[in-house]
Amino acid sequence: MKYTSIWLKDKFDNKIKKLNKNIETDVLIIGGGITGLSTLYFLKDSNLKITLVDSDLIGHGTTSKSTAKINYLQEHIYYDIATKYDIDTAKLYYDSQIEAINKLKEIIKKENIECNLEKVSSFVYANNKKEIEKLKVEKELLQKFGSIVNEINNNEEYAIMVSDTYVFNPVKYLYKLKEICLKNNKEIYEMTKIIDIKKIDNNYICYTKDNKIKTKKIIIACHYPFFLFPFFMPIKTHIEKSYIMAYLDNYNKYTYITSKKPTKSVRFYKDKNSYKLFLSNSVNICNKLDENKNYKELINQNNQVEFVWKNDDLLTLDKLPYIGIINKSNPNILIGTGYNTWGMTNGTLAGLILSDIILGKNNKYINLCSPLRTNNIIYLFSYLYNLLLNMWSYLRSKIIKNKKWYTNVKIVNENGKSIGIYEENNKKYKVYNKCPHMGCSLIFNEVNKTWDCPCHASSFDIYGKCIKGPSEYDISYNKND
Ligand SMILES: Cc1cc2nc3c(=O)[nH]c(=O)nc-3n(C[C@H](O)[C@H](O)[C@H](O)COP(=O)(O)OP(=O)(O)OC[C@H]3O[C@@H](n4cnc5c(N)ncnc54)[C@H](O)[C@@H]3O)c2cc1C
């Protein structure tokens, strides 16, 4: 059994180019997941100089750990949007998802991408009265929007089903996009992390550890932005994590998901073998911090598990993504994130919207997804909710950091600083036990041997190197500090 995503099991012919000099570009895309690479792909024919950087290998972030359903049947999202806004807004979101699905299919066909795309039926399932009522409304809305929806009504269990949804292998897809963009003279640098952005006159200077990139426009496609201002993501979203396992099983052409949290979700994947992917244990990031227990709970359900991993995504309270300009006074910084665990469609949609904004074209989904919509009074509740969640995560991280659910780990105080010590084979690995992002204490993850932030999901290895943001800095111990 491997503690890694099934999508990362294949070897890719990947020539890695790391930035080793100062450069200038017209547009800098920060992040090479589905958002960044889709945007780069849609801009590939423009005469603009476009550069994409990724702190890791492209496609190795959240996208590589998803269940990769390409689906417009997203729990009861149209019910939620229609309740929060109105039916027209729900319909516009539906149209955006259908357009994204069609675009993905079109690219895969046109570029001849081998990424195991399969048409499947998808179910959303509920077994309590309240959820069943929501699904019934969801069905009516979908029918009104033009979708063919079936229902399965079985005593106390109820499901809705559509048959025009898809699944694929997201990493194979992204590697092909990378290849196509490189052939179109677009620049891609991997293992190149942006740690700061400064505005100087009409340009932005983006800093890596050793180099600078001067650019006119920036697209933040790094999932969780590594800077706090001007968008201040912690009060606009919260993070949900889930655990996924893949085991050998007969192939089936369906997916399902529960309508209610904690989510359970299933899909199948076939290459040389066929696998069932099962997702469960979805919780808010600050809960269920004993990773050993979390993984065991999942693995114990099946003794044939080949791959097991976890993933997290940003949830917005109105269920709509944040795609577009983040601040009126910084119209040249754009973002694509907050996909509510539906990033295959929304990452593609972000690519369409962001590339249109860069090219000065109109796009009918700009207002729907605009991050500027949050400047509205109706978001006050959302801000308060997320603020309280942040405070709760912060306090929890401080209170429970010493909990003894892991062996070989000590948290000590040295000169007023909290130090985490992990011991393996009589060797001690020390780190500062404070996340550089917003100061939360870190929790040791016994399974992946990482220090994880229970507030915004940054992660550090036992040497203190930041392996996942939003933190842009390491927590390596320096005895001279
Ligand atoms: C458990 C789970 C299951 C999911 N299943 C599905 C599903 O079935 N279908 C679906 O549609 N969606 C699904 N999603 C959602 C989807 O995975 C995400 O919304 C989507 O992958 C986000 O893509 P992204 O490109 O924004 O981010 P990422 O894929 O994380 O890409 C961001 C990239 O930015 C890089 N980066 C970060 N910081 C920096 C920096 N400072 N400098 C340079 N580069 C940086 C990272 O290395 C990374 O490669 C799921 C999510 C979860 C949590």
Side-chain angles (χ1 to χ4, degrees), residues 31 34-35 54-55 62-63 66-69 194 221 313 341-344:
I34 192 150
T35 306
D54 197 295
S55 52
T62 318
T63 307
S66 78
T67 44
K69 299 176 186 174
I194 301 297
D313 206 15
T341 75
W342 296 103
M344 302 305 109

Side-chain angles (χ1 to χ4, degrees), residues 149-197:
V149 194
N150 292 309
E151 66 178 356
I152 296 101
N153 209 340
N154 208 345
N155 295 328
E156 273 147 40
E157 295 183 337
Y158 181 82
I160 54 175
M161 187 272 269
V162 296
S163 11
D164 48 351
T165 55
Y166 296 81
V167 288
F168 74 152
N169 177 326
V171 177
K172 285 189 186 174
Y173 175 71
L174 290 190
Y175 269 89
K176 189 68 189 185
L177 289 194
K178 175 188 170 187
E179 197 185 307
I180 298 163
C181 294
L182 286 175
K183 274 192 190 136
N184 279 269
N185 298 322
K186 301 299 165 212
E187 291 281 337
I188 297 180
Y189 296 98
E190 289 168 82
M191 311 310 288
T192 301
K193 184 175 190 171
I194 301 297
I195 50 175
D196 201 5
I197 301 174

